[in-house]
Amino acid sequence: MAPRRPADPPQTTPATPLSRLAGLHGVATSYSPSPDRTVAASDTALVAALAALGVDASTPDAVSAALAAREAEARERLLPPTVVCWGGRAPAELAELPDGTRLRIATEQGETRASAEQLPPGVHALRATAPDGRTADAHLVVAPARLPTPPGRAYGLLVQLYSLLSRRSWGMGDLGDLAELTAWAGRALGAGFVQVNPLHAAVPGAPTDPSPYRPSSRRFPDPVHLRVEDIPEFGYVDEPDQVRTLLERAERLRESVLDKGALIDRDAVWELKREALELVSTVPLGPGRRAAYVDFLAEEGEALEDHATWCALAEMYGSDWRRWPEGLRDPRSPETARARAELMDRVDFHTRLAWLTDAQLATAQRSARDAGMAVGLVHDLAVGVHPDGADAWAQQEYFAAGMSVGAPPDAFNARGQDWGLPPWRPDRLAASGYAPYRRLLRALFRHAGAVRIDHVMGLFRLWWIPQGRPPTEGTYVRYDAEAMLAVLVLEASRAGALVIGEDLGTVEPGVRETLRARGVLGTSVLWFERDWDGDGLPLPPERWRADCLATATTHDLPPTASRLTGDHVELRDRLGLLTGSLEEERAAAASDTGEWLTLLTRLGLLWGASGGCPTVSEEAEIQAVHRFLLLTPARLIGVWLPDTVGDRRPQNLPGTWDQYPNWRLPIADAEGRPVTLEELAASPRLHALLHVVRAGAQTGGARRARGGGGGHAAR
């Protein structure tokens, strides 16, 4: 993750036939790793990206033919496949239709209209018939002009759920713990939200990829998060000896993490819970529960059946569907239909797990709202899915074959990044009216007061890398950001939810302005907020943007205690990750931190230094950092839960795999001792920090008079 900076000025008009063809399909011919430098995309990258979009550009003749076909299509086409109508106002594309063109609009609500004025929100079917007989069918997305501004200011907690263990967890945090956290944080602490990591279903393996950002499915949650004892049928399992043994094993797993220093073992937790859930599945559902389950099956339809079928087939053939018997690689093949029928018991098992997990997510959000939280749960939407997983199998027609998503080389990462996630094809999304995207958002918003969109810039463009090639040989491919945003705003407004865009790192000009105009909040992290267009010093609080979630850190960055003490530099040195010498990196980190502490002192926020003792504790510095956040006009203030007890270990260290236990650490105190949810609730250090935050949030960020400057100013 890197500081924000301007990026990618508008490209010049492509000159070669290949460049023209690429431009017509949204494939970029160059990018700017820094404001003063432009790098041309290679012809190889352009040809590969076009091939993934179904366009043959392998020879000059193929390019000429594809270019002629595309230009002819553009001349003949009346409408694009998806058209956007903001706030009930007719889209510009309709005004460009030939005079006398007739419209027929079939709305989601079952009405038929002849005009696009004042249509109800939804995705409607539009047919245009021109006077010369040409017709065009399009999807018409009608969305509110923008999402409402959050009322007032709220603060909340940010946590990786697996890391939050209670004395009831089975070796990792679960949805029961989440419900407890939301109830306590809302009632006792006055928090307005709890943001969690993506809870998407993972790809099973040996070992399972622990990253929540490389899921099997973004549509369905992972049953590893279930609190087994909270399932109503668990109390009726007629196997007391087996249940006792399971609970004893769960206790040992929990104690190994909390009391013996073991890492969180997701695979061991899942194996134990799977055995318990197999027993639960033998208990018949009561009439009311059966009716609720049937409703869930009907609502989720084919998508759930596909997901459960993939899970059942993965049990037999492994999780990489590309290595399955050929007929099973196609979710719509006769072979898959036969296998689904033969494995119906296993398919039902996995659909029931999806239902149970969905129900516990609903309980956690209901707990948050009952506790008075204005927002409640903030769910996280990963930028993509694992190429081996259920979504990649079930939605093959929507993914760009042979491509992977990542980031280009820049001043902060000379090699670029490859995230190993297949990108969606923008042409197929548009042709479907963004159907898979709409269904995904609807499922995510169902039990959320807000959704965080990881790498929200992906609504505009993504860096496509041909598989097997380094990230340096990729290129940007553009999406219809207006349509992607309209669907997002439509589904969020239907759910009455907020949207937070993770817009850290390289962001092309205009993106933040476009997102803000539609009511999408940004993400501002203290250490990156500097005056990059001026002296480069820390940005004063009154110059921060208001429409954002402001935090001191994230799951990909050092905890605040680690940054303040310089521990993060020592950790990277031990792992061989420093790009300069240890002395240089120490000095740079100390200078960066020192500039922030100087500003905090000048603003009178650093309490604790007195008389002949100018130094303050690291705990006092963390409080000062959060006082600073409260001076900004940010509408949401997020507190990284490990910061409340002085945890110094990052949950994820980008650039590492086996060298560091990413995604496997429980929340711990300053000495590295795991801290349970019950201990968090009793922690004086936590209460001292959250007293500061709660008081500041309730007074709109106004600082107590304690000497030193500056209040907060809206932008």
Side-chain angles (χ1 to χ4, degrees):
M1 213 172 277
R4 293 183 287 149
R5 62 169 180 78
D8 286 19
Q11 299 183 77
T12 57
T13 303
T16 69
L18 177 59
S19 296
R20 288 169 53 205
L21 180 63
L24 289 172
H25 287 275
V27 178
T29 58
S30 65
Y31 75 99
S32 293
S34 60
D36 59 347
R37 181 167 169 252
T38 298
V39 177
S42 69
D43 286 356
T44 301
L46 301 184
V47 170
L50 287 167
L53 292 169
V55 179
D56 182 6
S58 58
T59 66
D61 287 345
V63 170
S64 297
L67 189 57
R70 185 69 170 182
E71 291 173 340
E73 177 191 352
R75 288 193 298 270
E76 292 297 317
R77 187 180 66 187
L78 286 175
L79 289 171
T82 295
V83 177
V84 172
C85 176
W86 291 105
R89 303 177 68 177
E93 290 90 343
L94 300 188
E96 297 171 359
L97 291 170
D99 291 341
T101 298
R102 299 190 311 276
L103 301 181
R104 184 181 184 279
I105 302 169
T107 71
E108 276 188 4
Q109 294 77 15
E111 303 173 317
T112 301
R113 303 277 190 93
S115 167
E117 297 288 345
Q118 301 303 315
L119 286 168
V123 180
H124 312 309
L126 166 64
R127 166 161 284 196
T129 304
D132 61 6
R134 286 182 297 156
T135 63
D137 292 312
H139 304 274
L140 178 59
V141 182
V142 179
R146 60 170 288 130
L147 292 169
T149 299
R153 165 179 272 188
Y155 95 90
L157 303 175
L158 318 178
V159 63
Q160 300 282 290
L161 179 57
Y162 59 82
S163 72
L164 179 71
L165 280 75
S166 71
R167 285 293 174 184
R168 296 179 179 177
S169 309
W170 286 23
M172 63 181 281
D174 60 35
L175 291 169
D177 297 320
L178 182 58
E180 287 282 357
L181 176 66
T182 57
W184 166 63
R187 295 178 188 277
L189 305 176
F193 62 90
V194 170
Q195 178 181 304
V196 294
N197 54 285
L199 303 182
H200 311 318
V203 178
T208 298
D209 186 340
S211 172
Y213 291 92
R214 280 171 56 83
S216 171
S217 174
R218 296 189 293 174
R219 172 78 181 274
F220 297 101
D222 198 314
V224 76
H225 299 113
L226 282 168
R227 169 68 63 83
V228 175
E229 297 95 326
D230 288 352
I231 300 171
E233 289 73 32
F234 182 71
Y236 298 97
V237 172
D238 191 19
E239 297 287 351
D241 291 340
Q242 287 183 259
V243 169
R244 188 181 309 109
T245 299
L246 286 168
L247 294 176
E248 289 171 353
R249 289 168 58 195
E251 184 177 4
R252 289 196 294 272
L253 263 180
R254 178 171 58 247
E255 290 177 348
S256 70
V257 175
L258 295 177
D259 303 327
K260 299 179 181 178
L263 297 174
I264 292 169
D265 188 341
R266 183 200 180 283
D267 292 341
V269 173
W270 172 237
E271 178 60 26
L272 187 59
K273 288 190 177 182
R274 187 190 59 76
E275 291 182 35
L277 294 166
E278 297 281 5
L279 292 176
V280 169
S281 70
T282 66
V283 178
L285 297 173
R289 295 273 289 166
R290 168 61 61 180
Y293 180 41
V294 169
D295 282 351
F296 181 78
L297 293 175
E299 182 177 355
E300 297 302 317
E302 183 180 73
L304 176 58
E305 188 175 68
D306 284 342
H307 176 70
T309 299
W310 181 90
C311 292
L313 290 170
E315 290 176 339
M316 292 189 65
Y317 301 107
S319 59
D320 186 351
W321 58 270
R322 293 165 297 185
R323 298 187 179 184
W324 292 353
E326 186 173 356
L328 300 180
R329 298 173 198 169
D330 179 359
R332 307 290 165 245
S333 72
E335 292 90 341
T336 298
R338 283 195 296 272
R340 181 183 292 118
E342 293 166 359
L343 296 170
M344 189 51 66
D345 287 347
R346 299 309 299 166
V347 172
D348 182 69
F349 174 71
H350 291 289
T351 56
R352 189 182 292 202
L353 295 190
W355 171 60
L356 294 172
T357 312
D358 182 83
Q360 290 195 5
L361 279 170
T363 298
Q365 173 64 354
R366 190 163 54 248
S367 171
R369 288 300 178 87
D370 289 348
M373 286 191 171
V375 178
L377 292 182
V378 180
H379 287 298
D380 197 347
L381 176 62
V383 71
V385 295
H386 199 291
D388 296 352
D391 283 3
W393 174 74
Q395 301 175 17
Q396 292 174 51
E397 68 269 30
Y398 294 110
F399 287 102
M403 287 287 161
S404 178
V405 172
D410 59 24
F412 306 99
N413 191 326
R415 294 186 297 271
Q417 301 174 56
D418 186 344
W419 303 330
L421 309 170
W424 263 337
R425 282 183 56 163
D427 56 331
R428 295 277 176 83
L429 284 178
S432 72
Y434 294 84
Y437 176 54
R438 284 155 42 203
R439 291 192 292 262
L440 167 60
L441 292 174
R442 200 166 300 163
L444 204 61
F445 279 120
R446 184 161 53 209
H447 306 308
V451 166
R452 172 190 180 271
I453 308 292
D454 188 41
H455 192 71
V456 72
M457 297 80 79
L459 300 181
F460 295 75
R461 64 179 186 175
L462 284 171
W463 184 257
W464 285 21
I465 306 163
Q467 287 179 1
R469 308 302 300 173
T472 51
E473 297 184 25
T475 189
Y476 277 114
V477 175
R478 190 160 294 282
Y479 292 75
D480 185 342
E482 186 175 37
M484 298 283 278
L485 266 176
V487 171
L488 177 61
V489 170
L490 171 64
E491 296 300 338
S493 65
R494 284 172 158 171
L498 304 176
V499 178
I500 302 165
E502 187 269 293
D503 56 353
L504 302 172
T506 299
V507 184
E508 63 179 322
V511 166
R512 287 194 177 90
E513 292 76 10
T514 299
L515 292 171
R516 184 170 64 246
R518 298 303 176 194
V520 176
L521 303 177
T523 301
S524 292
V525 178
L526 181 131
W527 309 101
F528 296 159
E529 292 296 319
R530 289 175 171 268
D531 184 5
W532 300 110
D533 296 324
D535 56 19
L537 291 174
L539 199 65
E542 66 273 11
R543 291 181 57 192
W544 282 44
R545 54 182 171 171
D547 296 320
C548 74
L549 165 65
T551 71
T553 190
T554 75
H555 60 271
D556 279 335
L557 294 172
T560 306
S562 176
R563 190 178 288 272
L564 290 168
T565 59
D567 281 3
H568 65 302
V569 177
E570 306 297 329
L571 173 61
R572 293 180 65 82
D573 178 58
R574 290 196 298 273
L575 297 175
L577 298 175
L578 297 184
T579 56
S581 70
L582 176 58
E583 292 71 22
E584 291 171 338
E585 297 280 355
R586 278 176 177 160
S591 174
D592 182 86
T593 302
E595 289 174 349
W596 278 103
L597 291 176
T598 297
L599 178 59
L600 297 178
T601 301
R602 190 171 75 244
L603 293 175
L605 305 176
L606 197 54
W607 303 356
S610 60
C613 181
T615 62
V616 296
S617 69
E618 158 247 303
E619 180 181 353
E621 291 174 342
I622 292 176
Q623 291 181 7
V625 163
H626 288 84
R627 288 191 186 97
F628 179 93
L629 294 178
L630 291 161
L631 287 185
T632 74
R635 302 189 188 280
L636 300 178
I637 304 294
V639 179
W640 179 237
L641 189 56
D643 275 353
T644 65
V645 287
D647 197 345
R648 298 189 181 188
R649 305 176 303 176
Q651 282 294 316
N652 178 49
L653 192 59
T656 63
W657 180 247
D658 293 333
Q659 311 99 303
Y660 187 79
N662 297 317
W663 319 112
R664 289 173 285 172
L665 293 171
I667 294 175
D669 62 18
E671 285 71 46
R673 184 186 67 85
V675 179
T676 65
L677 175 57
E678 294 86 353
E679 290 169 326
L680 283 167
S683 166
R685 178 166 178 163
L686 176 146
H687 283 279
L689 175 59
L690 294 187
H691 174 74
V692 168
V693 177
R694 182 178 188 179
Q698 288 176 339
T699 58
R703 182 168 50 84
R704 297 175 185 174
R706 194 181 173 87
H712 106 215
R715 211 165 183 175

